[in-house]
Amino acid sequence: MAFKEHLINNQIRAQELRVIGAGGEQLGVMGLSQALKAADDAGLDLVLINAEGKPPVAKIIDYGKHKFETLRRERENKKQSRAQNKLKEVQLGLNTQENEIAFKMKNARGFLEGGSKVKIAITKIRGRQSMNADKGVATLLKIAEDHADVADIDQQPTKGGTPGRNMNITMILAPKKGGKKNA
């Protein structure tokens, strides 16, 4: 985690501090020894919040609790952003059989119902197969049509790579808005 360590209690070297109390109230500008005594009387820590201020700003808080809550918030934010950025990929070949496409699309349907986007790629189109690339685009559009009840096309089928060498066709499906989310 990227928790920013602060100077606390006797680590603080500034002689004058603007002190903020435990309840968020301004206690005013005071000397370091007086601020440390106020923090000790409250049974809390004196934490240097802004060292660049004139005078530097310190706050009286429970530093262990503050550190724990900050790390927990960062972890939760990381989980939420990871959940929002899920992109699953399903790869097919240009000559993939219908039963294999059906099997892979059953998995893709599960991903979509779970709230993830799905990238469907027809890969490794080489040599003379590149002349039949339109067949791949038609396959992807048929897949999108079959999954219209749970997905919308986020990115239309696009051809990439070098024709004749190593070409691919990709399409991204996104879950329908307002649909159910299992995961």
Side-chain angles (χ1 to χ4, degrees), residues 77-88 115-117:
N77 290 342
K78 189 174 179 182
K79 275 185 192 177
Q80 288 176 356
S81 68
R82 194 180 310 139
Q84 292 171 354
N85 296 328
K86 286 193 276 185
L87 178 68
K88 306 288 186 175
S116 298
K117 289 184 176 184

Side-chain angles (χ1 to χ4, degrees), residues 2 5 16 33 83 93 119 126 179:
E5 293 289 335
E16 272 196 346
S33 59
K119 176 181 178 181
R126 295 190 181 115

Side-chain angles (χ1 to χ4, degrees), residues 3-9 11 43-49 59-70:
F3 180 75
K4 181 184 172 194
E5 293 289 335
H6 295 283
L7 297 178
I8 60 172
N9 298 330
Q11 297 173 344
L44 300 172
D45 299 309
L46 183 67
V47 180
L48 187 64
I49 301 297
K59 189 172 184 180
I60 298 175
I61 56 174
D62 182 355
Y63 187 64
K65 183 178 178 183
H66 169 73
K67 186 174 180 179
F68 173 77
E69 288 175 353
T70 303

Side-chain angles (χ1 to χ4, degrees), residues 11-168:
Q11 297 173 344
I12 300 172
R13 297 289 171 226
Q15 293 307 308
E16 272 196 346
L17 299 167
R18 179 176 307 279
V19 181
I20 300 171
E25 70 279 359
Q26 293 276 343
L27 299 180
V29 177
M30 56 179 73
L32 178 61
S33 59
Q34 188 180 3
L36 284 170
K37 184 175 181 336
D40 192 40
D41 290 345
L44 300 172
D45 299 309
L46 183 67
V47 180
L48 187 64
I49 301 297
N50 183 4
E52 280 77 39
K54 300 286 183 212
V57 180
K59 189 172 184 180
I60 298 175
I61 56 174
D62 182 355
Y63 187 64
K65 183 178 178 183
H66 169 73
K67 186 174 180 179
F68 173 77
E69 288 175 353
T70 303
L71 288 172
R72 189 184 67 196
R73 266 194 312 272
E74 286 177 1
R75 238 181 281 123
E76 287 297 320
N77 290 342
K78 189 174 179 182
K79 275 185 192 177
Q80 288 176 356
S81 68
R82 194 180 310 139
Q84 292 171 354
N85 296 328
K86 286 193 276 185
L87 178 68
K88 306 288 186 175
E89 183 170 356
V90 176
Q91 290 188 356
L92 305 170
L94 191 60
N95 296 321
T96 303
Q97 300 297 316
E98 287 294 321
N99 59 345
E100 188 175 351
I101 291 174
F103 176 77
K104 290 185 175 189
M105 290 304 105
K106 186 172 79 170
N107 289 338
R109 181 177 286 274
F111 296 146
L112 288 164
E113 289 173 350
S116 298
K117 289 184 176 184
V118 177
K119 176 181 178 181
I120 303 170
I122 297 179
T123 59
K124 299 178 183 171
I125 302 172
R126 295 190 181 115
R128 291 186 180 194
Q129 286 182 335
S130 64
M131 290 186 290
N132 295 326
D134 293 335
K135 177 183 170 190
V137 172
T139 303
L140 291 178
L141 290 174
K142 183 181 180 308
I143 289 170
E145 184 181 312
D146 292 345
H147 290 78
D149 58 329
V150 293
D152 293 323
I153 297 177
D154 193 38
Q155 178 185 349
Q156 290 290 331
T158 56
K159 298 176 187 176
T162 308
R165 295 214 181 252
N166 196 10
M167 192 172 152
N168 56 41

